[in-house]
Amino acid sequence: MWLIDLDEYRPGPFVLDADRLPGSRRYMAPEEFVRGTVIDQRTTVYTLGRTIWHLLDSPHGWRGAPSQARLATHATQATTGDRLPDVRELVGAWRATLTT
């Protein structure tokens, strides 16, 4: 599966110079709504964590493993420093959930 976000792309971290970035609120990290904050890979980790929730949650309950729910929770912490530092770490952690 490939996930592509075409709303906005900038090569590398940047400081948000608008009131918010474009996108769906349900996937956006808290920092995407605050002018002057740094947008970096931890922001992408949040978005991917929300995507995990979206794909594995259902009206009938969680469809994934408990370790996947813990990973999604870790990835979507409100404070950027409490998340995984980059997408590579998220991918490694995700792969680890597939063997437990």
Side-chain angles (χ1 to χ4, degrees):
M1 174 186 301
W2 292 92
L3 180 65
I4 300 171
D5 181 359
L6 300 176
D7 288 332
E8 176 126 5
Y9 173 77
R10 299 186 196 183
F14 64 95
V15 175
L16 183 59
D17 59 359
D19 290 333
R20 67 167 281 181
L21 285 174
S24 172
R25 287 183 164 276
R26 72 190 302 189
Y27 294 100
M28 293 174 70
E31 64 269 19
E32 293 183 86
F33 297 95
V34 181
R35 180 187 295 265
T37 58
V38 174
I39 306 298
D40 61 13
Q41 282 202 48
R42 295 171 298 179
T43 306
T44 304
V45 164
Y46 184 98
T47 301
L48 291 171
R50 290 293 300 148
T51 302
I52 291 168
W53 275 115
H54 180 79
L55 293 173
L56 294 179
D57 200 13
S58 79
H60 306 291
W62 184 254
R63 296 179 297 192
S67 60
Q68 292 167 333
R70 287 190 299 273
L71 176 59
T73 299
H74 186 189
T76 57
Q77 293 297 305
T79 303
T80 59
D82 292 339
R83 298 178 204 149
L84 294 158
D86 56 41
V87 174
R88 183 181 304 265
E89 291 285 327
L90 178 65
V91 169
W94 175 256
R95 287 181 176 154
T97 71
L98 301 177
T99 60
T100 58

